[in-house]
């Protein structure tokens, strides 16, 4: 009988002798793998070679502490500290990492899964509560809009003309004969049904309540 095939030592990422070993959870790896958004990236995720190409081309990595290569490694290890890592919110899903990865991995998609898990746990409410107004508007009227917290900065960048336009948007639309800004009631009800069936409505409620508690 031939000897059993020995495991490849190069296939295991070496531990950092000077850092505390991360708390690993195999279920976290399974959650990432089984998320529908990872459908086209499972093989790439499992075969990440830590080449760093994702990081070298990442715009967010140039200006923040966000490191795509580290996110990929920690996700593959099931490092539970990802569930309280704020750096994943610096990714703005430009997909440069995905387009350049030689293994067809996508750290952008991994981030989306981790963010969802952070929102579900309640940890990430601080990152998404400013968008609750937009989401609430989408639920109530079938159409979103820019969070009002952003208006002062946008007005400074685009000038008084933009601010005046936003203040009189409905009047301008009426003058141009563009009709109602929002979708009809039937469409709104369809949107609400989708949001309720997918659990989005309940998630929105929790984010709103979390924001109220922090005020």
């Amino acid at each position: 009988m031939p000897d059993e095939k020995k495991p490849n030592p190069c296939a295991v990422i070496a531990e950092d002798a000077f850092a505390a070993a991360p708390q690993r959870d195999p279920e976290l790896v399974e959650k990432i793998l089984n998320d529908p958004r990872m459908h086209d990236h499972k093989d790439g995720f499992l075969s990440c070679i830590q080449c760093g190409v994702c990081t070298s081309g990442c715009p967010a990595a140039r200006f923040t502490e966000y490191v795509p290569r580290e996110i990929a490694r920690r996700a593959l290890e099931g490092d539970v500290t990802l569930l309280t890592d704020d750096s994943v919110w610096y990714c703005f899903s430009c997909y440069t990492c995905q387009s350049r990865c030689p293994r067809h991995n996508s750290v952008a998609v991994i981030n989306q899964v981790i963010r969802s898990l952070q929102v579900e746990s309640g940890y990430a409410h601080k990152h998404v509560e400013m968008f609750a107004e937009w989401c609430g508007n989408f639920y109530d009227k079938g159409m979103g809009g820019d969070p009002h917290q952003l208006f002062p900065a946008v007005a400074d960048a685009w000038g008084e003309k933009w601010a005046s336009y936003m203040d009189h948007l409905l009047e301008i639309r009426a003058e141009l004969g563009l009709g109602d800004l929002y979708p009809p009631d039937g469409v709104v009800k369809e949107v609400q049904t989708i949001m309720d069936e997918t659990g989005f409505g309940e998630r929105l409620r929790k984010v709103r309540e979390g924001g109220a508690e922090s005020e």
Side-chain angles (χ1 to χ4, degrees):
M1 293 287 293
D3 294 337
E4 292 184 5
K5 186 177 180 181
K6 295 182 179 179
N8 178 5
C10 297
V12 180
I13 301 173
E15 294 283 1
D16 185 342
F18 299 98
Q23 181 183 349
R24 295 193 173 98
D25 183 0
E27 289 188 7
L28 176 57
V29 180
E30 290 301 313
K31 286 180 180 178
I32 295 172
L33 277 173
N34 294 325
D35 190 282
R37 288 166 287 194
M38 287 291 289
H39 181 271
D40 297 326
H41 309 291
K42 289 184 178 181
D43 291 340
F45 173 61
L46 292 172
S47 62
C48 172
I49 57 176
Q50 287 288 287
C51 63
V53 169
C54 55
T55 302
S56 67
C58 175
R62 298 179 190 177
F63 303 103
T64 71
E65 65 270 23
Y66 168 65
V67 184
R69 180 181 64 83
E70 287 295 308
I71 298 297
R73 176 183 62 79
R74 291 163 62 197
L76 192 56
E77 292 177 342
D79 183 352
V80 297
T81 62
L82 284 173
L83 301 179
T84 53
D85 190 332
D86 295 318
S87 73
V88 296
W89 293 90
Y90 286 120
C91 169
F92 49 91
S93 299
C94 69
Y95 296 99
T96 300
C97 54
Q98 177 178 314
S99 66
R100 294 189 176 191
C101 178
R103 307 303 299 173
H104 307 294
N105 193 12
S106 178
V107 186
V109 175
I110 293 172
N111 286 333
Q112 292 166 17
V113 178
I114 294 170
R115 287 173 175 178
S116 295
L117 294 173
Q118 288 190 5
V119 172
E120 287 176 6
S121 72
Y123 176 80
H125 287 181
K126 61 184 178 181
H127 292 291
V128 298
E129 66 177 295
M130 73 176 295
F131 297 100
E133 179 184 347
W134 184 94
C135 297
N137 208 43
F138 204 103
Y139 185 89
D140 296 335
K141 300 180 179 180
M143 179 176 173
D146 294 326
H148 286 176
Q149 294 94 326
L150 302 178
F151 277 23
V154 177
D156 287 343
W158 290 4
E160 181 62 30
K161 186 175 182 180
W162 178 86
S164 177
Y165 166 77
M166 292 302 296
D167 287 339
H168 302 283
L169 177 60
L170 298 181
E171 300 168 29
I172 295 172
R173 288 183 61 85
E175 290 177 4
L176 295 175
L178 296 177
D180 194 353
L181 177 64
Y182 298 101
D185 292 342
V187 173
V188 175
K189 290 185 181 302
E190 291 180 359
V191 170
Q192 291 175 346
T193 298
I194 293 172
M195 287 185 166
D196 288 337
E197 289 296 322
T198 57
F200 185 87
E202 178 64 15
R203 180 176 292 182
L204 174 61
R205 182 186 65 78
K206 289 181 178 180
V207 171
R208 282 172 154 175
E209 289 178 352
E213 291 173 359
S214 64
E215 288 178 356

